[in-house]
Amino acid sequence: MRSTAAHLRLTVTALMYAAGERQADLAAGLGITQGQVSRKQGGTAHWSLDDLDRLSAHYGIPVPDLVCGADHAVTRLPAARRAAHLGGTQTTITP
């Protein structure tokens, strides 16, 4: 059974893919460095509760939907944030 931290890393990966983002894009949206995103996604650092709030704002998804699993979170991603390969109309969000 995966840990909650591992599930959140999978969810963030799925959301990045669904939004057509790279780690650098996510880092810019959250106001942290790409290295910090890399460490959080690699499991050597953890996503904090404050990070969850920032992820929620960045993706336009309520925090509870972020912790319900990757599939659920991706279905909650607003159409304007979905990349074209998912049939969305992605727009760029500037921090």
Side-chain angles (χ1 to χ4, degrees):
M1 182 173 191
R2 285 192 177 114
S3 68
T4 302
H7 280 286
L8 182 57
R9 287 192 303 272
L10 289 173
T11 298
V12 171
T13 298
L15 287 168
M16 287 172 51
Y17 175 78
E21 292 181 326
R22 299 167 296 129
Q23 285 184 353
D25 301 321
L26 178 59
L30 300 182
I32 61 177
T33 68
Q34 183 275 325
Q36 288 172 300
V37 171
S38 179
R39 286 188 293 281
K40 291 170 189 287
Q41 284 300 94
T44 58
H46 295 289
W47 291 104
S48 70
L49 292 176
D50 289 337
D51 291 330
L52 280 176
D53 289 336
R54 287 191 290 272
L55 286 165
S56 172
H58 179 73
Y59 287 116
I61 300 171
V63 169
D65 289 329
L66 288 173
V67 295
C68 285
D71 291 338
H72 178 79
V74 169
T75 66
R76 303 292 293 161
L77 191 64
R81 293 289 284 128
R82 289 188 200 126
H85 61 265
L86 293 183
T89 57
Q90 181 184 22
T91 57
T92 303
I93 297 178
T94 55

